[in-house]
Amino acid sequence: MPKDPTSADYEHGRRDGLRLALAIMAAEEAKWAALVGESPSWRTNATREVRRKMMDVAQKRVRTVLNRMTPAGEDEAMSTELASALDRIGL
């Protein structure tokens, strides 16, 4: 039997998915930020800068969606839960 899309568990899972996406994008942005300016090629450096900015914009958009979905007062408890989950998977 499929889950009711309006159930609390379903919404909790969606928020966890968005938080995981944010963590992955932050790691990816850090990778590109470290590489900006490292190449002797201006074209490669420009591409790396664009990728870094793209990850930054994507993070802001996902964070906006997450903030709209998160009930008031739930953010702090979820961030501790997310931090422990990220530690378990090695991010």
Side-chain angles (χ1 to χ4, degrees):
M1 184 171 195
K3 281 266 190 190
D4 178 19
T6 59
S7 73
D9 288 340
Y10 180 81
E11 291 299 318
H12 178 77
R14 288 178 66 193
R15 290 189 301 270
D16 285 349
L18 288 171
R19 287 183 181 98
L20 181 59
L22 278 172
I24 291 168
M25 285 190 280
E28 190 69 16
E29 182 188 8
K31 177 182 93 172
W32 287 111
L35 293 174
V36 170
E38 293 294 316
S39 174
S41 168
W42 69 268
R43 186 171 290 150
T44 300
N45 288 329
T47 301
R48 289 175 177 172
E49 180 64 24
V50 167
R51 287 181 180 162
R52 189 197 62 78
K53 286 181 181 179
M54 177 192 67
M55 295 306 295
D56 184 48
V57 169
Q59 281 181 7
K60 288 177 184 173
R61 289 181 179 174
V62 171
R63 186 165 303 283
T64 299
V65 171
L66 180 61
N67 289 339
R68 289 180 183 163
M69 292 176 60
T70 303
E74 188 177 321
D75 196 38
E76 187 175 314
M78 291 314 237
S79 60
T80 0
E81 182 181 326
L82 176 65
S84 67
L86 292 174
D87 286 340
R88 282 191 303 242
I89 63 171
L91 288 178

